[in-house]
Amino acid sequence: MSLHPMIAALRKHKAGVVLIAMQIAVTLAIVCNAIFIIYARIENVRRPTGLDENNLFLVTQQWVGAPSGDDPASVQKLDAMLREDLNALRALPDVESVSPTNSIPLLQSSWNGSAALKPGTDLREGNARTTFYFGDEQWLKTAGLHLIAGRDFTAADVTNMAFRDNSQPAIVIVTKPLADKLFPGGNAVGKVIYLNGDSKPTTIVGEVERLQVPSVSSWASTFVWNSTIAPIRLNGNFSRYMVRAKPGRLEAAMRAVPNALYAANPMRVLDDDSVKSFKDIRAEAYRADIGMAALMGMVCLILLAVTAAGIVGLTSFWVGQRHRQIGVRRALGARKVDILHYFQLENLMIAGAGALAGIALAVGLNRVLMSKFEMQSMPVYYVLAGLAVVMTLGQIAVFVPARRASNVPPVVATRSV
Amino acid sequence: MLSYYFGLALRSLKRNRMLTALMILAIAMGIGASMTTLTVLHVLSGDPLPGRSASLYYPQLDPRDMPSYTPGVEPPGQLSWIDGMYLLHAKRGTRQALMTGGMVPLQPEQSSIDPFHANARYTSADFFPMFSVPFQYGNGWGDAEDEGKARVVVISAALNDKLFGGENSVGKTLRLQETDFRIIGVLGDWRPNPHFYDLYMGAYADYEQVYVPLSTSRDLHMDHGGSVDCWGDSAGDQVHLERENCTWLQFWVELDSPASVAAYKQFLEHYSQDQRASGRFTRPVNVRLRSVMQWLDYNQVVPSDTRLQAWLALGFLVVCLVNTVGLMLAKFMRRAGELGVRRALGASRRTLFGQLLLESGVVGFAGGVLGLLLALLGLWLVRQQPSDYAKLAHMDAAMLLATFVLSVAASTLAGLLPAWRACRIAPALQLKAQ
């Protein structure tokens, strides 16, 4: 089939052709950027924290009328209260292990600082930003982390200090990304680092594969996997406990916690959020991301539907307008399938032209979004996928009116309207 | 004549129900999506204190040390205790208040209510008159209470409802942090959005339930919440924040004329110079004096997802409009015969043009009504979201009007090209083709 008569015909409908092409272009630009955003969000949500997330929950509580924690004696009093809680929780039948902790991945409440190879160096170049987790010898076990090098903390390693105390731990366990950043040559275990610009040396005793920081905000995206675990019980007027329930006993263990804690010491505040499963913590952390992805997905679908409807509408109009010409072609010997192909090919040309403009628009839109929002550069295959989607959509949409056109009987040619 | 055209438009729209429905639906979806996101954007970027905000300013100083200095860096977003206290006591503005926030354990006397943590604001006395905070009962406190670290508290209307059933509780006792406080005031309905005076607690966060003099809160070691930014060897020891090299306080000042704003800025510069001379400040003088709206703008309080959604929805509206233009073009061109007859019978181009535009306006109005319903549904969906600004997403009269204006304007705009094309047809040619 020669394209020449088709182009000549399209010239008569410039406005309609331009409109469809424009609509396809804008649709392509929005759809591939939206899909890119959806993908980035999903990717974010799906990354594992490093924890064994099943059967894990967190308890947050605050004591009423607790010692101030300003002097050594009151710190020891706070520590005694903390250990009392730990014992109460460890005694529960459905609980496998418990560790005090300051935070947990995805909790959003974080304690951040730096690790350096030289003493007294503040947070500047050559240093690694890191988040800190404080717990006892059961922290790793409760979190479900496995060492890839070195050793776990022992009960003898664990010390306690006031929540506001600024001194650095003697030993730590770090994540592999942090270790690799500090010691690109490997073998970080046994090496000495300096935390938070302090001059007191800290020895790395172990290394774990992966542990995410508590914050999922964009400001923490530069050090998502840089975590440091210190064997310290922090003593303040509030405390958090990371608890691993026995397999399948999560709910029972969570239900038993408030009474066990009140029995140990009634002078405390526990509210609805105090005992929270890790599943809930995860859902809360990523709720906005999932909402955004769902919204984008919905917008894409509606957009494609609207565009398809537009193509159906305009092509139907053209078919109606060319009713007689189609009859003439049929009378002169064109088969039904020729008419069908004619409209399909016509749509392919219009959609192709629109899609070409759309590619440029999509890339441009991506650039604008990159400059205004925290967004990555969109890989080419998104554009290609979007291209395939809109071209297919065009073909599907044009099929109904094109079929109707192919059903125009040749006898129409002999009738006057 | 207008009603005749209106009748014609309805008749023509009825003739091709499918196409009409498609156009109305396309406009409705575009309008619904954009009005939902624009309403959220409108609510979130509004003026928290209309009429007052223009005379409220937020001074910033840069007391940090040199090692982490880079030229052109913005001063920190909060003040240290020393600087805040100096600015407060200098009283260079009409009013000024130094404040911060935290959570305080509250033990209700009623045994039916468990102890809980109340959201607290620790502030100096001018907070209430400066922000025009309405009182239901009683009053705020004065300088004497600030000086005397008085155990007085102002509570929110919601807390008063919860604890005292909404009755006048002034004079009663409230137990905070193991200490008895005397209630001296109950606030009326007050919830400026965003939570502009302390963005570090969340820009659309829940409002404070109790207000306590700043001096009292420090005296009782009340828990401090929000951001603490330290430099040098300071670690942000919560109890001794006054002595630490940390910024953790917000300071607002009321300046009523451009001259006083300029004078205040000069005052800040002089203070910075003096502090440099004394060696406490080491960085070059770097001060800011932003008004409420400038401060919100600088901090980009509107979530970037919300802005992204608004752009997306506008793009969506564009596609819907282009779609409508195409469909209208098809519709109007199909009626070329009818229009040709009318032209031949003496109707002017302008009349036909007006008639066709009216028809697209009718489509726009119908799309607007449906779009409004969709927008209300969309806002309801937004309110079901867990984010802290979600419950603010309500449509107001301005946005309601904007919906219709946008819808009718957009569809009329979409009708322009098709109507123009349809009117250009030469009547003779049309009649001949028949």
Side-chain angles (χ1 to χ4, degrees):
Chain A
M1 193 186 291
S2 152
L3 287 181
H4 181 70
M6 196 176 288
I7 293 171
L10 285 181
R11 282 220 180 114
K12 299 237 168 196
H13 305 281
K14 269 187 225 122
V17 170
V18 168
L19 285 173
I20 291 197
M22 229 164 90
Q23 196 176 345
I24 286 178
V26 180
T27 303
L28 175 67
I30 295 182
V31 166
C32 44
N33 275 287
I35 291 177
F36 179 56
I37 294 172
I38 293 174
Y39 179 76
R41 300 287 168 117
I42 300 279
E43 190 81 324
N44 226 3
V45 171
R46 282 184 46 192
R47 57 190 177 178
T49 51
L51 301 175
D52 175 5
E53 298 177 10
N54 293 324
N55 301 315
L56 192 65
F57 66 98
L58 186 74
V59 181
T60 306
Q61 68 88 37
Q62 184 158 14
W63 286 293
V64 177
S68 67
D70 294 338
D71 54 284
S74 73
V75 172
Q76 291 323 311
K77 228 179 259 166
L78 281 171
D79 193 50
M81 288 160 76
L82 181 85
R83 276 177 292 146
E84 206 173 60
D85 283 2
L86 286 174
N87 288 336
L89 293 175
R90 280 170 184 157
L92 288 172
D94 293 317
V95 166
E96 192 164 287
S97 66
V98 183
S99 170
T101 189
N102 59 322
S103 189
I104 187 168
L106 311 189
L107 191 66
Q108 304 281 26
S109 146
S110 59
W111 189 308
N112 305 306
S114 68
L117 297 179
K118 276 182 265 165
T121 32
D122 203 359
L123 194 74
R124 256 164 294 137
E125 277 174 65
N127 297 346
R129 282 196 84 174
T130 173
T131 201
F132 292 102
Y133 292 106
F134 298 91
D136 66 9
E137 73 281 3
Q138 290 200 25
W139 203 93
L140 247 63
K141 184 182 155 206
T142 309
L145 296 177
H146 299 287
L147 288 165
I148 53 171
R151 66 171 180 90
D152 195 354
F153 300 133
T154 65
D157 293 329
V158 182
T159 57
N160 73 300
M161 71 178 196
F163 194 71
R164 299 157 185 141
D165 196 329
N166 195 30
S167 48
Q168 306 305 328
I171 59 170
V172 291
I173 291 175
V174 298
T175 54
K176 190 168 186 305
L178 179 62
D180 289 349
K181 164 113 198 197
L182 291 167
F183 303 100
N187 275 335
V189 172
K191 301 261 170 61
V192 166
I193 55 174
Y194 299 88
L195 300 176
N196 296 335
D198 208 277
S199 52
K200 179 185 163 188
T202 301
T203 310
I204 299 175
V205 297
E207 207 176 308
V208 291
E209 182 71 38
R210 184 187 185 92
L211 180 61
Q212 198 173 341
V213 302
S215 174
V216 295
S217 305
S218 54
W219 60 264
S221 61
T222 51
F223 61 104
V224 187
W225 309 112
N226 292 2
S227 303
T228 304
I229 311 158
I232 293 173
R233 285 189 303 267
L234 283 184
N235 302 126
N237 61 356
F238 84 104
S239 61
R240 285 199 178 111
Y241 309 108
M242 176 165 61
V243 187
R244 174 164 300 284
K246 291 197 171 134
R249 305 297 299 162
L250 179 68
E251 273 172 36
M254 284 172 67
R255 262 198 312 273
V257 162
N259 286 337
L261 287 180
Y262 278 130
N265 180 355
M267 292 297 284
R268 66 171 93 234
V269 185
L270 283 173
D271 54 35
D272 301 340
D273 277 349
S274 282
V275 184
K276 217 180 219 175
S277 69
F278 191 80
K279 211 174 130 212
D280 288 348
I281 293 175
R282 168 176 274 280
E284 226 162 84
Y286 288 128
R287 210 169 268 178
D289 287 300
I290 290 171
M292 187 76 179
L295 185 84
M296 293 272 175
M298 229 163 68
V299 165
C300 282
L301 283 181
I302 299 176
L303 204 56
L304 291 174
V306 166
T307 304
I311 293 175
V312 172
L314 264 187
T315 319
S316 298
F317 167 63
W318 285 336
V319 171
Q321 225 180 14
R322 300 183 204 162
H323 207 68
R324 248 184 105 183
Q325 286 92 320
I326 296 168
V328 171
R329 280 199 63 195
R330 292 279 279 126
L332 290 179
R335 289 167 301 161
K336 278 188 171 192
V337 73
D338 293 328
I339 306 293
L340 187 73
H341 283 166
Y342 175 86
F343 280 99
Q344 285 175 333
L345 198 62
E346 187 187 71
N347 179 270
L348 202 65
M349 274 171 56
I350 301 173
L356 278 185
I359 291 174
L361 209 57
V363 173
L365 184 61
N366 180 237
R367 291 274 173 281
V368 173
L369 292 179
M370 272 167 68
S371 68
K372 294 211 165 194
F373 303 94
E374 285 144 352
M375 202 127 83
Q376 311 289 313
S377 166
M378 180 166 59
V380 178
Y381 50 84
Y382 280 93
V383 186
L384 296 180
L387 191 76
V389 168
V390 293
M391 299 297 276
T392 318
L393 184 79
Q395 286 302 306
I396 294 172
V398 86
F399 186 74
V400 179
R403 248 267 302 276
R404 185 141 23 97
S406 70
N407 283 333
V408 171
V411 71
V412 168
T414 61
R415 283 191 204 139
S416 60
V417 180
Chain B
M1 213 55 191
L2 203 68
S3 70
Y4 171 62
Y5 286 162
F6 191 68
L8 275 185
L10 285 186
R11 188 182 293 243
S12 134
L13 291 175
K14 265 191 212 155
R15 202 178 309 148
N16 201 332
R17 280 162 208 267
M18 192 62 203
L19 203 62
T20 308
L22 212 59
M23 285 194 289
I24 292 181
L25 207 63
I27 291 197
M29 282 194 296
I31 293 288
S34 21
M35 288 320 288
T36 303
T37 56
L38 286 179
T39 301
V40 173
L41 200 64
H42 168 76
V43 169
L44 297 192
S45 52
D47 185 340
L49 287 182
R52 293 287 294 149
S53 61
S55 55
L56 298 175
Y57 288 83
Y58 192 78
Q60 287 169 268
L61 300 165
D62 199 345
R64 292 172 297 187
D65 54 3
M66 280 313 274
S68 53
Y69 177 74
T70 43
V73 69
E74 281 282 337
Q78 303 184 95
L79 294 181
S80 67
W81 177 264
I82 296 175
D83 298 329
M85 275 311 193
Y86 177 80
L87 295 186
L88 182 68
H89 289 135
K91 289 193 187 294
R92 292 298 181 98
T94 316
R95 298 189 182 101
Q96 46 262 304
L98 185 66
M99 66 193 80
T100 191
M103 299 295 276
V104 182
L106 191 157
Q107 294 149 271
E109 285 178 354
Q110 301 86 333
S111 53
S112 58
I113 306 173
D114 282 336
F116 60 94
H117 281 97
N119 197 344
R121 176 115 310 241
Y122 317 130
T123 175
S124 60
D126 278 356
F127 181 90
F128 303 102
M130 185 165 69
F131 294 153
S132 305
V133 185
F135 276 88
Q136 214 176 121
Y137 306 112
N139 282 313
W141 59 84
D143 289 345
E145 282 84 356
D146 273 343
E147 295 285 323
K149 300 171 185 166
R151 282 12 178 189
V152 293
V153 61
V154 167
I155 65 176
S156 70
L159 185 66
N160 192 46
D161 290 347
K162 180 173 176 177
L163 297 182
F164 303 102
E167 299 199 357
N168 187 350
S169 58
V170 170
K172 292 197 174 152
T173 302
L174 191 67
R175 205 159 164 77
L176 298 171
Q177 188 110 10
E178 306 280 289
T179 311
D180 283 338
F181 279 73
R182 186 165 52 86
I183 298 175
I184 56 164
V186 178
L187 296 189
D189 181 24
W190 195 62
R191 199 186 194 291
N193 271 305
H195 185 266
F196 69 96
Y197 49 81
D198 183 357
L199 298 174
Y200 299 93
M201 305 293 273
Y204 306 96
D206 280 340
Y207 267 64
E208 289 85 0
Q209 294 163 297
V210 297
Y211 299 78
V212 173
L214 179 66
S215 52
T216 313
S217 80
R218 297 311 297 167
D219 192 37
L220 289 173
H221 297 313
M222 284 180 169
D223 159 78
H224 169 260
S227 158
V228 180
D229 197 8
C230 303
W231 62 93
D233 52 6
S234 286
D237 172 352
Q238 293 273 350
V239 174
H240 305 113
L241 272 177
E242 288 90 336
R243 295 202 308 254
E244 298 264 308
N245 283 326
C246 300
T247 58
W248 53 286
L249 294 151
Q250 301 94 43
F251 182 74
W252 285 93
V253 57
E254 180 180 340
L255 301 168
D256 295 318
S257 67
S260 58
V261 175
Y264 203 87
K265 185 139 197 205
Q266 222 163 32
F267 162 63
L268 291 176
E269 279 161 4
H270 284 156
Y271 173 68
S272 292
Q273 264 151 14
D274 288 350
Q275 292 298 308
R276 258 173 74 78
S278 74
R280 202 173 78 83
F281 284 11
T282 48
R283 294 188 176 190
V285 172
N286 188 14
V287 303
R288 298 283 185 282
L289 190 59
R290 291 184 163 100
S291 68
V292 171
M293 293 316 277
Q294 285 167 340
W295 178 239
L296 294 179
D297 199 33
Y298 166 66
N299 281 287
Q300 301 189 329
V301 292
V302 178
S304 70
D305 271 6
T306 305
R307 283 182 293 136
L308 190 62
Q309 282 161 7
W311 283 111
L312 183 78
L314 285 178
F316 184 59
L317 181 63
V318 167
V319 172
C320 289
L321 279 185
V322 172
N323 189 53
T324 310
V325 175
L327 294 179
M328 277 204 200
L329 191 68
K331 195 167 171 45
F332 291 171
M333 295 307 275
R334 190 175 282 184
R335 287 164 60 202
E338 175 204 323
L339 295 173
V341 173
R342 290 202 51 205
R343 285 277 283 131
L345 290 179
S348 73
R349 260 184 201 170
R350 271 181 67 172
T351 356
L352 287 190
F353 190 67
Q355 186 202 330
L356 292 178
L357 276 192
L358 184 78
E359 196 174 317
S360 49
V362 169
V363 170
F365 188 78
V369 173
L370 194 60
L372 182 69
L373 293 179
L374 287 180
L376 290 176
L377 179 75
L379 288 173
W380 179 80
L381 282 176
V382 171
R383 284 199 294 277
Q384 308 308 309
Q385 298 289 313
S387 49
D388 51 5
Y389 60 79
K391 46 186 173 291
L392 304 173
H394 285 278
M395 188 163 278
D396 56 9
M399 293 312 278
L400 195 79
L401 191 69
T403 308
F404 282 102
V405 171
L406 184 67
S407 177
V408 174
S411 65
T412 312
L413 201 73
L416 273 181
L417 172 81
W420 181 71
R421 293 270 315 221
C423 292
R424 265 188 40 207
I425 292 163
L429 212 66
Q430 256 318 313
L431 292 175
K432 211 159 60 182
Q434 298 279 318

